[in-house]
């Protein structure tokens, strides 16, 4: 497969994993998020110019301990902005999601594992809006 080309089955499988993540985020469902993220996954941000590394297990605990956007009646505004593949086993997906007043742009790195496509890393930018 040429660099950057996508097959429809691969594209559908990647989109399904990302939708599971976005559903889990909105619903506050740590099990859905865990299903989308490989156990080795980490989240990265640099809110004050210093890289913050947040392991998946710590993030899932945080999700379980906070009210979900859905339970707070917050509008769901997530969307997939771009999907890019390299070969048939690596992809990068750019998404927008929010937990008002925080709005996120996520860059999700996915690999096709023996269990299917999984998010192995997330790098994100957060914007606060009033």
């Amino acid at each position: 497969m040429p660099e950057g080309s996508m097959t429809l089955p691969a594209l559908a499988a990647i989109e399904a994993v990302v939708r599971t993540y976005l559903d889990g985020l909105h619903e506050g469902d740590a099990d859905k998020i865990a299903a989308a993220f490989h156990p080795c996954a980490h989240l990265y941000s640099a809110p004050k110019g210093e890289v913050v590394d947040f392991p998946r297990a710590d993030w899932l605990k945080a999700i379980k301990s906070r009210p979900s956007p859905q339970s707070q009646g917050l509008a769901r505004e997530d969307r997939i902005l771009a999907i890019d593949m390299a070969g048939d086993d690596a992809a990068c997906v750019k998404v927008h999601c929010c937990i008002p007043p925080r709005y996120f742009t996520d860059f999700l790195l996915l690999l096709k594992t023996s269990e299917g496509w999984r998010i192995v890393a997330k790098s994100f930018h957060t914007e606060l809006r009033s």
Side-chain angles (χ1 to χ4, degrees), residues 18-27 32 69-70 73-79 96-100 103:
V18 173
R19 290 277 169 219
T20 297
Y21 157 58
L22 294 172
D23 289 347
L25 191 64
H26 183 71
E27 297 164 9
K32 282 186 179 179
Q70 183 178 51
L74 299 174
R76 186 165 177 177
E77 300 178 32
D78 55 54
R79 61 189 180 279
H96 172 79
C97 53
C98 65
I99 304 174
Y103 291 76

PDB file of all heavy atoms in Angstrom, residues 18-27 32 69-70 73-79 96-100 103:
ATOM      1  N   VAL A  18     -11.746   5.267  17.340  1.00  0.00           N
ATOM      2  CA  VAL A  18     -11.791   6.677  17.748  1.00  0.00           C
ATOM      3  C   VAL A  18     -13.186   7.025  18.272  1.00  0.00           C
ATOM      4  O   VAL A  18     -13.313   7.735  19.274  1.00  0.00           O
ATOM      5  CB  VAL A  18     -11.349   7.594  16.589  1.00  0.00           C
ATOM      6  CG1 VAL A  18     -11.552   9.062  16.947  1.00  0.00           C
ATOM      7  CG2 VAL A  18      -9.888   7.323  16.241  1.00  0.00           C
ATOM      8  N   ARG A  19     -14.233   6.515  17.645  1.00  0.00           N
ATOM      9  CA  ARG A  19     -15.598   6.767  18.134  1.00  0.00           C
ATOM     10  C   ARG A  19     -15.798   6.152  19.521  1.00  0.00           C
ATOM     11  O   ARG A  19     -16.465   6.745  20.378  1.00  0.00           O
ATOM     12  CB  ARG A  19     -16.637   6.223  17.163  1.00  0.00           C
ATOM     13  CG  ARG A  19     -16.715   6.985  15.875  1.00  0.00           C
ATOM     14  CD  ARG A  19     -17.589   8.215  16.010  1.00  0.00           C
ATOM     15  NE  ARG A  19     -17.419   9.040  14.835  1.00  0.00           N
ATOM     16  CZ  ARG A  19     -17.376  10.356  14.852  1.00  0.00           C
ATOM     17  NH1 ARG A  19     -17.500  11.010  15.987  1.00  0.00           N
ATOM     18  NH2 ARG A  19     -17.211  11.033  13.753  1.00  0.00           N
ATOM     19  N   THR A  20     -15.233   4.986  19.749  1.00  0.00           N
ATOM     20  CA  THR A  20     -15.314   4.372  21.080  1.00  0.00           C
ATOM     21  C   THR A  20     -14.666   5.282  22.112  1.00  0.00           C
ATOM     22  O   THR A  20     -15.207   5.505  23.198  1.00  0.00           O
ATOM     23  CB  THR A  20     -14.642   2.983  21.079  1.00  0.00           C
ATOM     24  OG1 THR A  20     -15.359   2.130  20.174  1.00  0.00           O
ATOM     25  CG2 THR A  20     -14.629   2.359  22.468  1.00  0.00           C
ATOM     26  N   TYR A  21     -13.501   5.831  21.776  1.00  0.00           N
ATOM     27  CA  TYR A  21     -12.824   6.776  22.662  1.00  0.00           C
ATOM     28  C   TYR A  21     -13.699   8.000  22.922  1.00  0.00           C
ATOM     29  O   TYR A  21     -13.904   8.405  24.074  1.00  0.00           O
ATOM     30  CB  TYR A  21     -11.479   7.184  22.053  1.00  0.00           C
ATOM     31  CG  TYR A  21     -10.941   8.501  22.539  1.00  0.00           C
ATOM     32  CD1 TYR A  21     -10.701   8.743  23.893  1.00  0.00           C
ATOM     33  CD2 TYR A  21     -10.659   9.530  21.652  1.00  0.00           C
ATOM     34  CE1 TYR A  21     -10.202   9.968  24.333  1.00  0.00           C
ATOM     35  CE2 TYR A  21     -10.161  10.749  22.082  1.00  0.00           C
ATOM     36  CZ  TYR A  21      -9.940  10.959  23.429  1.00  0.00           C
ATOM     37  OH  TYR A  21      -9.453  12.171  23.866  1.00  0.00           O
ATOM     38  N   LEU A  22     -14.224   8.610  21.863  1.00  0.00           N
ATOM     39  CA  LEU A  22     -15.037   9.818  22.029  1.00  0.00           C
ATOM     40  C   LEU A  22     -16.322   9.540  22.802  1.00  0.00           C
ATOM     41  O   LEU A  22     -16.737  10.344  23.643  1.00  0.00           O
ATOM     42  CB  LEU A  22     -15.334  10.444  20.662  1.00  0.00           C
ATOM     43  CG  LEU A  22     -14.117  11.002  19.919  1.00  0.00           C
ATOM     44  CD1 LEU A  22     -14.497  11.408  18.492  1.00  0.00           C
ATOM     45  CD2 LEU A  22     -13.492  12.156  20.674  1.00  0.00           C
ATOM     46  N   ASP A  23     -16.958   8.386  22.544  1.00  0.00           N
ATOM     47  CA  ASP A  23     -18.148   8.000  23.318  1.00  0.00           C
ATOM     48  C   ASP A  23     -17.786   7.860  24.790  1.00  0.00           C
ATOM     49  O   ASP A  23     -18.493   8.357  25.668  1.00  0.00           O
ATOM     50  CB  ASP A  23     -18.720   6.671  22.813  1.00  0.00           C
ATOM     51  CG  ASP A  23     -19.387   6.766  21.452  1.00  0.00           C
ATOM     52  OD1 ASP A  23     -19.646   7.891  20.968  1.00  0.00           O
ATOM     53  OD2 ASP A  23     -19.632   5.688  20.861  1.00  0.00           O
ATOM     54  N   GLY A  24     -16.691   7.161  25.062  1.00  0.00           N
ATOM     55  CA  GLY A  24     -16.256   6.948  26.442  1.00  0.00           C
ATOM     56  C   GLY A  24     -15.933   8.256  27.142  1.00  0.00           C
ATOM     57  O   GLY A  24     -16.262   8.439  28.321  1.00  0.00           O
ATOM     58  N   LEU A  25     -15.313   9.165  26.435  1.00  0.00           N
ATOM     59  CA  LEU A  25     -14.972  10.465  27.018  1.00  0.00           C
ATOM     60  C   LEU A  25     -16.240  11.231  27.395  1.00  0.00           C
ATOM     61  O   LEU A  25     -16.355  11.746  28.503  1.00  0.00           O
ATOM     62  CB  LEU A  25     -14.131  11.264  26.030  1.00  0.00           C
ATOM     63  CG  LEU A  25     -13.469  12.523  26.553  1.00  0.00           C
ATOM     64  CD1 LEU A  25     -12.453  12.190  27.642  1.00  0.00           C
ATOM     65  CD2 LEU A  25     -12.799  13.268  25.417  1.00  0.00           C
ATOM     66  N   HIS A  26     -17.204  11.285  26.495  1.00  0.00           N
ATOM     67  CA  HIS A  26     -18.438  12.023  26.771  1.00  0.00           C
ATOM     68  C   HIS A  26     -19.263  11.353  27.873  1.00  0.00           C
ATOM     69  O   HIS A  26     -19.829  12.027  28.724  1.00  0.00           O
ATOM     70  CB  HIS A  26     -19.275  12.170  25.498  1.00  0.00           C
ATOM     71  CG  HIS A  26     -20.512  12.978  25.713  1.00  0.00           C
ATOM     72  ND1 HIS A  26     -20.477  14.341  25.917  1.00  0.00           N
ATOM     73  CD2 HIS A  26     -21.807  12.621  25.791  1.00  0.00           C
ATOM     74  CE1 HIS A  26     -21.707  14.785  26.107  1.00  0.00           C
ATOM     75  NE2 HIS A  26     -22.531  13.764  26.029  1.00  0.00           N
ATOM     76  N   GLU A  27     -19.309  10.034  27.846  1.00  0.00           N
ATOM     77  CA  GLU A  27     -20.112   9.289  28.820  1.00  0.00           C
ATOM     78  C   GLU A  27     -19.382   9.080  30.146  1.00  0.00           C
ATOM     79  O   GLU A  27     -19.997   8.618  31.113  1.00  0.00           O
ATOM     80  CB  GLU A  27     -20.482   7.919  28.232  1.00  0.00           C
ATOM     81  CG  GLU A  27     -21.336   8.014  26.987  1.00  0.00           C
ATOM     82  CD  GLU A  27     -21.381   6.716  26.196  1.00  0.00           C
ATOM     83  OE1 GLU A  27     -20.889   5.674  26.696  1.00  0.00           O
ATOM     84  OE2 GLU A  27     -21.891   6.751  25.049  1.00  0.00           O
ATOM     85  N   LYS A  32     -14.861   1.923  28.091  1.00  0.00           N
ATOM     86  CA  LYS A  32     -14.822   2.190  26.648  1.00  0.00           C
ATOM     87  C   LYS A  32     -13.477   2.791  26.264  1.00  0.00           C
ATOM     88  O   LYS A  32     -12.887   2.418  25.250  1.00  0.00           O
ATOM     89  CB  LYS A  32     -15.949   3.135  26.234  1.00  0.00           C
ATOM     90  CG  LYS A  32     -17.290   2.466  26.119  1.00  0.00           C
ATOM     91  CD  LYS A  32     -18.337   3.416  25.566  1.00  0.00           C
ATOM     92  CE  LYS A  32     -19.661   2.694  25.441  1.00  0.00           C
ATOM     93  NZ  LYS A  32     -20.733   3.588  24.927  1.00  0.00           N
ATOM     94  N   PRO A  69     -19.233  14.484  31.122  1.00  0.00           N
ATOM     95  CA  PRO A  69     -19.909  15.587  30.433  1.00  0.00           C
ATOM     96  C   PRO A  69     -21.397  15.272  30.207  1.00  0.00           C
ATOM     97  O   PRO A  69     -22.253  16.140  30.366  1.00  0.00           O
ATOM     98  CB  PRO A  69     -19.153  15.704  29.109  1.00  0.00           C
ATOM     99  CG  PRO A  69     -17.783  15.178  29.422  1.00  0.00           C
ATOM    100  CD  PRO A  69     -18.026  14.067  30.407  1.00  0.00           C
ATOM    101  N   GLN A  70     -21.701  14.014  29.873  1.00  0.00           N
ATOM    102  CA  GLN A  70     -23.088  13.616  29.643  1.00  0.00           C
ATOM    103  C   GLN A  70     -23.930  13.801  30.903  1.00  0.00           C
ATOM    104  O   GLN A  70     -25.033  14.335  30.841  1.00  0.00           O
ATOM    105  CB  GLN A  70     -23.131  12.157  29.184  1.00  0.00           C
ATOM    106  CG  GLN A  70     -24.513  11.651  28.840  1.00  0.00           C
ATOM    107  CD  GLN A  70     -24.456  10.217  28.354  1.00  0.00           C
ATOM    108  OE1 GLN A  70     -23.866   9.360  29.008  1.00  0.00           O
ATOM    109  NE2 GLN A  70     -25.055   9.966  27.205  1.00  0.00           N
ATOM    110  N   GLY A  73     -25.050  17.249  31.488  1.00  0.00           N
ATOM    111  CA  GLY A  73     -25.874  17.853  30.448  1.00  0.00           C
ATOM    112  C   GLY A  73     -25.098  18.724  29.477  1.00  0.00           C
ATOM    113  O   GLY A  73     -25.671  19.590  28.818  1.00  0.00           O
ATOM    114  N   LEU A  74     -23.793  18.497  29.376  1.00  0.00           N
ATOM    115  CA  LEU A  74     -22.952  19.297  28.491  1.00  0.00           C
ATOM    116  C   LEU A  74     -23.114  18.840  27.037  1.00  0.00           C
ATOM    117  O   LEU A  74     -23.238  17.646  26.758  1.00  0.00           O
ATOM    118  CB  LEU A  74     -21.486  19.207  28.908  1.00  0.00           C
ATOM    119  CG  LEU A  74     -21.184  19.724  30.322  1.00  0.00           C
ATOM    120  CD1 LEU A  74     -19.739  19.446  30.698  1.00  0.00           C
ATOM    121  CD2 LEU A  74     -21.492  21.217  30.413  1.00  0.00           C
ATOM    122  N   ALA A  75     -23.118  19.785  26.139  1.00  0.00           N
ATOM    123  CA  ALA A  75     -23.268  19.487  24.720  1.00  0.00           C
ATOM    124  C   ALA A  75     -22.081  18.675  24.216  1.00  0.00           C
ATOM    125  O   ALA A  75     -20.947  18.889  24.626  1.00  0.00           O
ATOM    126  CB  ALA A  75     -23.375  20.783  23.919  1.00  0.00           C
ATOM    127  N   ARG A  76     -22.375  17.757  23.339  1.00  0.00           N
ATOM    128  CA  ARG A  76     -21.323  16.947  22.725  1.00  0.00           C
ATOM    129  C   ARG A  76     -20.900  17.610  21.431  1.00  0.00           C
ATOM    130  O   ARG A  76     -21.715  17.778  20.519  1.00  0.00           O
ATOM    131  CB  ARG A  76     -21.840  15.530  22.476  1.00  0.00           C
ATOM    132  CG  ARG A  76     -20.751  14.619  21.972  1.00  0.00           C
ATOM    133  CD  ARG A  76     -21.138  13.179  22.056  1.00  0.00           C
ATOM    134  NE  ARG A  76     -20.084  12.371  21.495  1.00  0.00           N
ATOM    135  CZ  ARG A  76     -20.098  11.070  21.467  1.00  0.00           C
ATOM    136  NH1 ARG A  76     -21.117  10.415  21.986  1.00  0.00           N
ATOM    137  NH2 ARG A  76     -19.097  10.400  20.939  1.00  0.00           N
ATOM    138  N   GLU A  77     -19.634  18.001  21.350  1.00  0.00           N
ATOM    139  CA  GLU A  77     -19.138  18.724  20.181  1.00  0.00           C
ATOM    140  C   GLU A  77     -17.938  18.034  19.549  1.00  0.00           C
ATOM    141  O   GLU A  77     -17.144  18.687  18.875  1.00  0.00           O
ATOM    142  CB  GLU A  77     -18.756  20.153  20.588  1.00  0.00           C
ATOM    143  CG  GLU A  77     -19.896  20.956  21.164  1.00  0.00           C
ATOM    144  CD  GLU A  77     -19.469  22.345  21.591  1.00  0.00           C
ATOM    145  OE1 GLU A  77     -18.562  22.921  20.954  1.00  0.00           O
ATOM    146  OE2 GLU A  77     -20.044  22.850  22.562  1.00  0.00           O
ATOM    147  N   ASP A  78     -17.758  16.737  19.766  1.00  0.00           N
ATOM    148  CA  ASP A  78     -16.568  16.074  19.238  1.00  0.00           C
ATOM    149  C   ASP A  78     -16.710  15.790  17.741  1.00  0.00           C
ATOM    150  O   ASP A  78     -17.810  15.652  17.220  1.00  0.00           O
ATOM    151  CB  ASP A  78     -16.256  14.795  20.024  1.00  0.00           C
ATOM    152  CG  ASP A  78     -17.423  13.830  20.094  1.00  0.00           C
ATOM    153  OD1 ASP A  78     -17.973  13.469  19.035  1.00  0.00           O
ATOM    154  OD2 ASP A  78     -17.785  13.443  21.211  1.00  0.00           O
ATOM    155  N   ARG A  79     -15.545  15.744  17.097  1.00  0.00           N
ATOM    156  CA  ARG A  79     -15.532  15.392  15.678  1.00  0.00           C
ATOM    157  C   ARG A  79     -14.125  14.945  15.275  1.00  0.00           C
ATOM    158  O   ARG A  79     -13.134  15.381  15.847  1.00  0.00           O
ATOM    159  CB  ARG A  79     -16.015  16.533  14.807  1.00  0.00           C
ATOM    160  CG  ARG A  79     -15.199  17.785  14.867  1.00  0.00           C
ATOM    161  CD  ARG A  79     -15.913  18.937  14.129  1.00  0.00           C
ATOM    162  NE  ARG A  79     -15.164  20.161  14.163  1.00  0.00           N
ATOM    163  CZ  ARG A  79     -15.127  21.019  15.181  1.00  0.00           C
ATOM    164  NH1 ARG A  79     -15.823  20.770  16.257  1.00  0.00           N
ATOM    165  NH2 ARG A  79     -14.399  22.110  15.114  1.00  0.00           N
ATOM    166  N   HIS A  96     -11.300  16.769  17.623  1.00  0.00           N
ATOM    167  CA  HIS A  96     -11.687  17.871  18.512  1.00  0.00           C
ATOM    168  C   HIS A  96     -12.720  17.302  19.475  1.00  0.00           C
ATOM    169  O   HIS A  96     -13.627  16.568  19.072  1.00  0.00           O
ATOM    170  CB  HIS A  96     -12.304  19.017  17.709  1.00  0.00           C
ATOM    171  CG  HIS A  96     -12.882  20.086  18.570  1.00  0.00           C
ATOM    172  ND1 HIS A  96     -12.107  21.049  19.173  1.00  0.00           N
ATOM    173  CD2 HIS A  96     -14.146  20.310  18.972  1.00  0.00           C
ATOM    174  CE1 HIS A  96     -12.894  21.830  19.893  1.00  0.00           C
ATOM    175  NE2 HIS A  96     -14.127  21.409  19.783  1.00  0.00           N
ATOM    176  N   CYS A  97     -12.553  17.606  20.767  1.00  0.00           N
ATOM    177  CA  CYS A  97     -13.527  17.189  21.771  1.00  0.00           C
ATOM    178  C   CYS A  97     -13.522  18.217  22.888  1.00  0.00           C
ATOM    179  O   CYS A  97     -12.636  19.072  22.951  1.00  0.00           O
ATOM    180  CB  CYS A  97     -13.237  15.783  22.294  1.00  0.00           C
ATOM    181  SG  CYS A  97     -11.557  15.535  22.886  1.00  0.00           S
ATOM    182  N   CYS A  98     -14.512  18.136  23.755  1.00  0.00           N
ATOM    183  CA  CYS A  98     -14.569  19.140  24.810  1.00  0.00           C
ATOM    184  C   CYS A  98     -15.237  18.607  26.065  1.00  0.00           C
ATOM    185  O   CYS A  98     -16.058  17.692  26.026  1.00  0.00           O
ATOM    186  CB  CYS A  98     -15.287  20.393  24.333  1.00  0.00           C
ATOM    187  SG  CYS A  98     -17.013  20.165  23.950  1.00  0.00           S
ATOM    188  N   ILE A  99     -14.795  19.174  27.165  1.00  0.00           N
ATOM    189  CA  ILE A  99     -15.432  19.046  28.467  1.00  0.00           C
ATOM    190  C   ILE A  99     -15.449  20.485  28.981  1.00  0.00           C
ATOM    191  O   ILE A  99     -14.524  20.912  29.662  1.00  0.00           O
ATOM    192  CB  ILE A  99     -14.662  18.097  29.411  1.00  0.00           C
ATOM    193  CG1 ILE A  99     -14.483  16.725  28.776  1.00  0.00           C
ATOM    194  CG2 ILE A  99     -15.384  18.002  30.761  1.00  0.00           C
ATOM    195  CD1 ILE A  99     -13.611  15.779  29.579  1.00  0.00           C
ATOM    196  N   PRO A 100     -16.479  21.261  28.520  1.00  0.00           N
ATOM    197  CA  PRO A 100     -16.486  22.688  28.843  1.00  0.00           C
ATOM    198  C   PRO A 100     -16.187  22.951  30.307  1.00  0.00           C
ATOM    199  O   PRO A 100     -16.649  22.203  31.170  1.00  0.00           O
ATOM    200  CB  PRO A 100     -17.904  23.121  28.471  1.00  0.00           C
ATOM    201  CG  PRO A 100     -18.311  22.148  27.390  1.00  0.00           C
ATOM    202  CD  PRO A 100     -17.672  20.841  27.801  1.00  0.00           C
ATOM    203  N   TYR A 103     -11.550  22.803  25.896  1.00  0.00           N
ATOM    204  CA  TYR A 103     -11.713  22.317  24.527  1.00  0.00           C
ATOM    205  C   TYR A 103     -10.366  21.765  24.086  1.00  0.00           C
ATOM    206  O   TYR A 103      -9.333  22.397  24.271  1.00  0.00           O
ATOM    207  CB  TYR A 103     -12.177  23.456  23.607  1.00  0.00           C
ATOM    208  CG  TYR A 103     -13.592  23.872  23.926  1.00  0.00           C
ATOM    209  CD1 TYR A 103     -13.867  24.643  25.053  1.00  0.00           C
ATOM    210  CD2 TYR A 103     -14.648  23.439  23.144  1.00  0.00           C
ATOM    211  CE1 TYR A 103     -15.175  24.990  25.376  1.00  0.00           C
ATOM    212  CE2 TYR A 103     -15.951  23.779  23.464  1.00  0.00           C
ATOM    213  CZ  TYR A 103     -16.211  24.560  24.578  1.00  0.00           C
ATOM    214  OH  TYR A 103     -17.505  24.890  24.898  1.00  0.00           O
TER     215      TYR A 103
END
